[in-house]
Amino acid sequence: MEKRKEKRIRSEDSDESKTKEKDVVTTVSSNLDRTGRGRRRKKFDGGGEVSKRSTSQRDKDNSDGTRNYVRLTCHQCKTLKSETDLVLCSKCNKKRYCYDCIKRWYPETTSDGVRAACPFCMGNCNCKACLRQPLAVKIHSEKDANVKLKQLQYLLVKVLPVLRDIYAEENHELEAESTIRGVPVTESNITCCKLDLSERIYCDICSTSIANFHRSCSNADCSCDICLSCCNELRDGFYDQEKNGKRNAGQGKDSKANVSLDFSNWKLNSDGSIPCPPKECGGCGTSTLELTRLSECDWVEKLITDAEKVTLQYRPPDVDIAHECSSCITNSDHIRRQAAFRKNAHDNFLYSPNAVDLAEDDIAHFQSHWMRAEPVIVRNVLEKTSGLSWEPMVMWRACREMDPKVGSKGEAKTLKALDCWDWSEVEINIHQFFKGYIEGRMHRNGWPEMLKLKDWPPSTLFEERLPRHNAEFIAALPFFDYTDPKSGILNLVTRLPKEFLKPDLGPKTYIAYGFPEELHRGDSVTKLHCIISDAVNVLTHTAKVEISPRQYQSIQVERKKHAEAKLPKHYGGQRTEASELENMSLKEVDGKALDKCNGTLGEQVLKGKAANKEPSNSSLRPSGSQEEDSPTQPVVSTSEKSIQDQKLDAPKETNGNANERSNAVHGGAVWDIFRREDVPKLIQYLKRHTQEFHHINNQIVKSVDHPIHDQTMFLNESQKNQLKEEFDIEPWTFEQHLGEAVFIPAGCPYQVKNRQSCIKVALGFVAPESVEECIRLAQEFRRLPKDHRSNKDILELKKIVLHGARSAIREAQGLMQ
């Protein structure tokens, strides 16, 4: 018997992939025609064209009538496949992807699309080798010098009021120091404390970041530092026993009434100087606090003078915030979306442009809305990217590829997630979590299990662990002058010196399950809260979860029980069996045997096929049921259609692009964003109805430090209608579709509920228009209890403003020269 022939095919991988794909040849029997020669079949590449492979790669007949068939390797899975199972890219004529990988890892791409230009050529290949490589991102072209100068002047005009406030505060402290010493005191008489740029100083009383002037203990064995705000409040008598009693009760009328520390033993010295706080407050209680500065002499005064010179000839844009945007009215069919139905209001419509149509000069239109502190919704931001997959398992694999050692760590097997039913932390296998993301999960009583992963992977590691996804996300962001985290000219955070420890503003990833209708319990993904900076949130992936009619009916029964349970407590009725049910934990309900199960929603109706199914934004109605018209209303409701229904059913936009991804019947998430000016009334409502909300372990919220900053409340449709009736305020309510970026102004409280399983990626930034609001919020946060989640001044606003102004002044002066 003749010896088998074998040959080695040269690897087809490019230098970039750095991996070798080996093609193997197998020998098989072949029928012979009448002449004794093996019949030769032409090789076609799916599309009908004859393969361009060299002779060494084609099938060959051997003299004994056998034939060598070439088996090739899929670039994605590195598995040997027959040529008929692979799609060859006609662009590079090298890379091949099997049909299984195309369907699983590139659900939005067809085999014909891969044939025209494969994922590797398109720059969105998510195979293991490519995930390790940096993603090439288009660099923004350099701005015209005049345009850049105007933007810098615009920035300085917006921060000048804050600079003047900082200067006035420091001057006030100099006057107090002059009174203490009995002689005039200037900055040159103040001790300068030099710090390393990577160091931070926080007030030991309120945890506020210290940017320049502060008071430090003169005792060498004590490191107590106090901010000027705490010094002024001590002088004003704020920390007396009477007011402190109000603070502890959380009932004081003053906005300062949330500080929970007792300073009754901390009083001024007879000469007006401030002693170091008692030991229980973080000081030594024996020495005197000395006035100290961190920067060069008269730094703030020089910044103000230079900023005024730079902006002397500049005239800021004239924006009439008392009326609706004229540009939006002109293009109402294309760039705005109705989100509220307030009477006699000019802000019911939100600016909602298409990212594909945005031009560089559209930033002025964005600014006109940002000055009004209005949210902005930008559609189709993913259309301008390479198309890298945001499938959850692709992201997970990418994380592991960037850190191979993670395979031996617990992180590779389990995750800590929040269960939105009782807001408790649960540990779950990573594959079970993502399987539930695609197929759904349920409790034994049929109630949907809503799990949420927050900030995964940790935002400090996002760029390191997901470099390609990070680059893809940054490339998707519109209005990059604001949103670019490294070079955005109007993002004040980017102007901090490189040596400084910068605030952690993301990107952050939020992965959570969803349900199409309001459940009234356990379906809030993000409870009502307010962040200290501006933010942009992009919906990068959604997954439709299907449920059976039987389970849908079970959910309706349970939902009715929970709604009835609220009646006696909310409306003065008697306690019933249903009301007792409301106070029980999930594990106690239904015969005290409702331990959370690992089964999937819908009695395994999907059986794994949803993992390979193209994601959809359509409604999550059970099969065979009627089409959903609107979210199901609570048992107690008015005869009128709810505000939520009106908002979501109203014509929202004209897409204007046949390829838009945001054209589904239902979006991925429902947002409620409140106006800044409505916050006082919102707080009144929440305080009045505090005990109608549930939080950790499903316990009633009995008291709050701050009804918004505590992040313990979520307003359902009934409560939003009640808010409208009692205080005549309502939020902007809208659906976020796949590929949409939601811009949230600082100081606007918001909450989110998912209609589908969603992956969102968010990034914080500090816009010049929001600086004054951010400073106000920082003062509000510093008055929260010391152990409060929002007490720490992580943003360090004053430091950002001071260094941002100096950087902008230098850059503007260079352009003017």
Side-chain angles (χ1 to χ4, degrees), residues 421-422 443-445 521 558 561-562 577 579-596 697-699:
W421 170 272
D422 56 8
H443 298 291
R444 287 186 182 176
N445 66 340
R521 187 174 178 183
E558 292 295 322
K561 288 182 182 179
H562 299 318
E577 182 180 353
S579 64
E580 295 294 338
L581 176 68
E582 174 71 10
N583 287 325
M584 296 173 66
S585 70
L586 184 63
K587 293 181 180 181
E588 296 173 312
V589 183
D590 194 18
K592 301 180 180 180
L594 294 180
D595 292 326
K596 297 167 187 175
N697 296 324
N698 202 42
Q699 296 299 307

Side-chain angles (χ1 to χ4, degrees), residues 380-387 390 476 538-540 661 738-739:
N380 300 319
V381 299
L382 297 181
E383 294 293 337
K384 302 188 74 173
T385 63
S386 68
W390 289 91
V538 179
L539 181 55
T540 60
R661 300 185 186 185
L738 181 65

Side-chain angles (χ1 to χ4, degrees), residues 29 32 387 418 593 619 647 681 716 771 782:
S29 299
L32 302 178
L418 286 176
S619 173
K647 293 175 182 178
K681 289 184 178 180
N716 60 31
V771 166
R782 64 174 286 276

Side-chain angles (χ1 to χ4, degrees), residues 352-355 358 376-381 478-479 739-743:
S352 182
N354 189 333
L358 282 176
V376 172
I377 311 164
V378 183
R379 296 170 281 132
N380 300 319
V381 299
F479 308 119
E740 289 187 340
V742 176
F743 284 78

Side-chain angles (χ1 to χ4, degrees), residues 6 44 62 242 245 281 380 402 463 610 637 707 711 716:
E6 294 181 352
F44 291 89
N62 300 324
E242 180 182 357
C281 298
N380 300 319
M402 296 309 298
E463 184 176 3
S637 63
Q711 201 169 338
N716 60 31

